[in-house]
Amino acid sequence: MSDRDLLIGGERVAGAGDPLAVENPFTTETIATVASASPEQLDAAVAAAREAFEAWSRTPALERAEMLHEVARRLRENGEELARTMTSEGGKPLVENRDEIEWCAACFDYYAEVGRDSAGRVIPPIESTQLAMVVKDPLGVVGCIVPWNYPLLLLTWKVAPALAAGCSVVAKPSEVTPLSTLELAGCFSHLPAGVVSIVAGAGETGAALSADERVDCIAFTGSVATGRKVALACAERLARANLEMGGKDPFIVCSDVAAAHDSGIEIAARGGAWAAFLNAGQVCTSAERFYVMKDVYDDYVSAFVAHTESLVLGDPFDEATDIGPMVSAPQRQKVVDQVEAAVAAGAEVLAGGGDGGPDRGHFFAPTVVTGAPAETDLLREETFGPVAPIVPVADLDEAIALANGTRFGLGANVYTRDLKNAIHCMRELRAGTVWINDPLTDNDAGPFGGFKQSGIGRELGREGLEAFQETKHVHMETEIEQKDWWYPYGPAGGESNR
Ligand code: NAD
């Protein structure tokens, strides 16, 4: 058995499909070759999930809860190793990957308890002799397809609630970062065979999983373009699709921040830089557009640039590193192209804009841009890199109009101490999460997902559990009696009922 084996029906098996080369984005060396699942192996994984669903969906919720807590315990026990593997294959700083493991464990603990807390609700019946209930049933087999930027967290946001709901899963990591997910198999070995299967593979494997009639729901995180394909495949066979896709999150800074606090602007700049550059900007909720009120704009830009220039690029294993390499050369090139196009259209680069120092790795220095025209991709399309374009605005209404002006609606950030501004933003921003004065903080109990093309459905919170439940209305009459609205309507058969 190897750490690179797939997990199918409770067995670790060597992949029999195409090889996937995994690159370390810091050294740019190939660190592993993983054999993906062959079509027959994917078929076996789905068949195992189908079979396992029967018993798992009937397992008492308390027993499922104990098994999910055990997943959390094993995650913490193996956390350092898993975090190091994520660092090698993804380039995210080790400190951030350690956080990611803890968030995964906490999420399994959360759904262990939420899953045994309620199975529906009792509703007022039509008559006093009746009992009426809304019962939440497990949905079935869930296919989980995830990207490379938070390989284990985004998988956990699907697998933990799906298992808690009584579903079985087939998980497919990104072809860019399969190693940590395959290593995760040990955290599931106490579960009945087939409840969790893990298949490595690229787009074809994801497409085959999405098209499989035996899969009741695809829970997907990734780009809008791929999400659309998944949605179409699911629509074709009328299966559920829960889609978490791209974003172009705005970050609004109100002038009252300066008045409220001596260092208010400095803090809003540091918060903005973290929101823009975390994981080299490769976060679906990265702050990608800054709208700053005119009277604090100059101070904000200066503070932002000064802080950006102090950030340390380097080896993601090095504890002094703030920002590691981007995940791959193509991902980096996309960012270079967007910045160059903005500069060609008149934008100015105030910090960063190049490799940033290290002599190897897919580095792009944290970059601050001003003067980008509103119609450039840098202000309209997802960048997914460490770039912060800053735009002055006259007032909050202009900021909100610009913030709402893209096809995305994942998250939005606001810095203000003014209650009226905060409430106005909360009401008007068309985004799945609105963060006020604390960018990008997730909460297992708070649903996460997007408006508009950023998503359909929600993860986390109770909504994240309901995504993997089917709803059944049970209407129960305790008397066996003729109802007076039945036939006959007329007097022909005797007394009219009406
Ligand atoms: P991607 O869309 O290229 O790939 C995502 C996953 O889909 C991968 O596992 C891939 O193998 C698979 N896939 C590819 N083609 C497929 C097909 N035809 N059918 C089914 N599956 C297929 O995305 P990526 O480059 O890995 O990740 C970056 C994207 O993910 C960004 O757009 C980012 O915004 C988004 N993202 C969104 C969230 C969120 O929660 N909304 C979180 C993180 C990342």
Side-chain angles (χ1 to χ4, degrees), residues 46-358:
V46 176
R50 243 337 343 138
E51 198 183 327
F53 173 70
E54 295 308 320
W56 182 248
S57 60
R58 291 178 174 79
T59 301
L62 184 57
E63 280 177 40
R64 288 202 296 252
E66 282 160 5
M67 287 188 255
L68 292 189
H69 282 308
E70 176 61 15
V71 175
R73 198 193 62 72
R74 292 181 183 203
L75 266 162
R76 291 189 175 104
E77 190 175 81
N78 296 291
E80 186 60 19
E81 213 176 310
L82 288 164
R84 297 188 85 82
T85 302
M86 276 200 284
T87 306
S88 299
E89 66 180 348
K92 180 157 23 96
L94 181 60
V95 60
E96 292 177 18
N97 284 320
R98 287 183 179 137
D99 286 346
E100 180 168 345
I101 298 294
E102 177 48 37
W103 299 336
C104 293
C107 185
F108 271 100
D109 279 336
Y110 171 76
Y111 277 113
E113 294 305 311
V114 172
R116 72 189 185 93
D117 184 53
S118 162
R121 62 190 198 272
V122 178
I123 56 174
I126 303 300
E127 297 186 338
S128 60
T129 51
Q130 299 170 344
L131 178 64
M133 291 169 288
V134 177
V135 176
K136 295 288 180 178
D137 280 355
L139 185 58
V141 173
V142 178
C144 305
I145 301 176
V146 294
W148 43 262
N149 60 337
Y150 287 87
L152 299 190
L153 185 68
L154 297 170
L155 190 65
T156 294
W157 287 5
K158 298 162 180 55
V159 173
L163 297 184
C167 297
S168 53
V169 305
V170 176
K172 192 204 84 64
S174 163
E175 58 274 34
V176 180
T177 53
L179 300 177
S180 50
T181 309
L182 293 170
E183 265 179 51
L184 201 62
C187 296
F188 299 121
S189 61
H190 60 293
L191 299 176
V195 168
V196 174
S197 290
I198 303 173
V199 290
E204 317 82 73
T205 309
L209 187 59
S210 307
D212 195 312
E213 293 276 353
R214 298 164 296 173
V215 177
D216 300 282
C217 173
I218 296 291
F220 168 85
T221 299
S223 61
V224 171
T226 309
R228 186 175 282 122
K229 290 183 195 164
V230 169
L232 286 168
C234 290
E236 189 63 42
R237 56 190 189 83
L238 296 175
R240 289 235 209 133
N242 208 49
L243 306 173
E244 298 286 345
M245 296 171 289
K248 187 75 192 167
D249 285 9
F251 192 110
I252 297 173
V253 181
C254 297
S255 36
D256 67 80
V257 167
H261 201 292
D262 268 357
S263 52
I265 286 294
E266 174 70 27
I267 289 172
R270 283 168 175 258
W274 187 73
F277 305 145
L278 176 69
N279 190 12
Q282 301 166 120
V283 184
C284 52
T285 50
S286 287
E288 296 208 347
R289 303 174 286 149
F290 288 76
Y291 298 117
V292 181
M293 290 197 193
K294 271 193 177 121
D295 42 353
V296 293
Y297 176 79
D298 289 342
D299 290 348
Y300 188 78
V301 171
S302 315
F304 204 114
V305 167
H307 183 55
T308 299
E309 284 171 344
S310 75
L311 299 176
V312 178
L313 260 76
D315 183 344
F317 278 101
D318 190 335
E319 307 232 324
T321 294
D322 294 311
I323 300 176
M326 297 194 63
V327 76
S328 65
Q331 202 64 35
R332 182 184 178 283
Q333 191 55 44
K334 198 182 138 212
V335 178
V336 171
D337 292 348
Q338 262 196 17
V339 172
E340 283 180 0
V343 169
E348 193 184 349
V349 173
L350 301 188
D355 293 345

Side-chain angles (χ1 to χ4, degrees), residues 386-402:
V387 185
I390 311 185
V391 176
V393 290
D395 55 28
L396 190 55
D397 285 337
E398 185 188 358
I400 290 172
L402 288 167

